[in-house]
Amino acid sequence: MVVSDNGTGLTSNALLHAQDGRKVEWHCIAPGNPMQSGFVESFNCRLRDESLNEHLFASLRHARELILAWRADYDNHPPHASLVRVSPTVSRGPKPKHCELENADSIPSRADAMRMSLQNQRPAPGLSGHPGRGGQFASGAVHCLEFTLVRASGSNGPMERFFGSLKNALVHRTRFRARQEPTAELFDCIAMFRNRQRRHSSIGYRTPAQARIDMAAAMAA
């Protein structure tokens, strides 16, 4: 059985004829409920972020070449947390006997990063955080910060998507020899590249820095 959304490309007559000819059962998710096909939606978002939005295609052949190169990289290189931190190609073989556990030393560093962000941005009193349910956000070091942690059951999709993109673009591709190295690399990737240079389709193909300036100007008007 194939599960898809209700897009016109997946409900065309040509596809329906092919479905009937091959005797394939086809199920369309409910309109307006993309999370019924969450794995595919997550993959499509990653494909757009890491390939389609990064290139200008000169021809259909050019697009196919770049997408095939991205597919080969996606299947063979970056480890996936959902596959016990191995690539899809490796996951098809014998399964690893253990998962790579997160180092407990990372907990204080995350509290330091959150503290630095609060000092730099100087938000108004009453700030509420919306983290995941990981142990690093339940630590005493994080609870010492002066803001409220909200553990709602709703989606935290934008942050999860950002972390997934960051891990695949940088963290899973680099071997760091000391804590100072990832600190510098992550700062350069987030503060310099993603915030000031990379244009994002979700904010009108502007950089986050420019979008923030525009938002402040609109609020002041």
Side-chain angles (χ1 to χ4, degrees), residues 43-56:
F43 173 81
N44 289 342
C45 287
R46 182 165 296 170
L47 174 61
R48 284 195 294 268
D49 282 346
E50 299 178 8
S51 180
L52 302 182
N53 291 347
E54 296 292 322
H55 302 285
L56 291 176

Side-chain angles (χ1 to χ4, degrees), residues 128-159:
S128 294
H130 189 180
R133 298 174 179 270
Q136 65 272 21
F137 293 112
S139 67
V142 172
H143 279 205
C144 289
L145 302 178
E146 295 181 359
F147 70 102
T148 304
L149 292 177
V150 179
R151 289 183 175 79
S153 57
S155 172
N156 198 16
M159 288 306 305

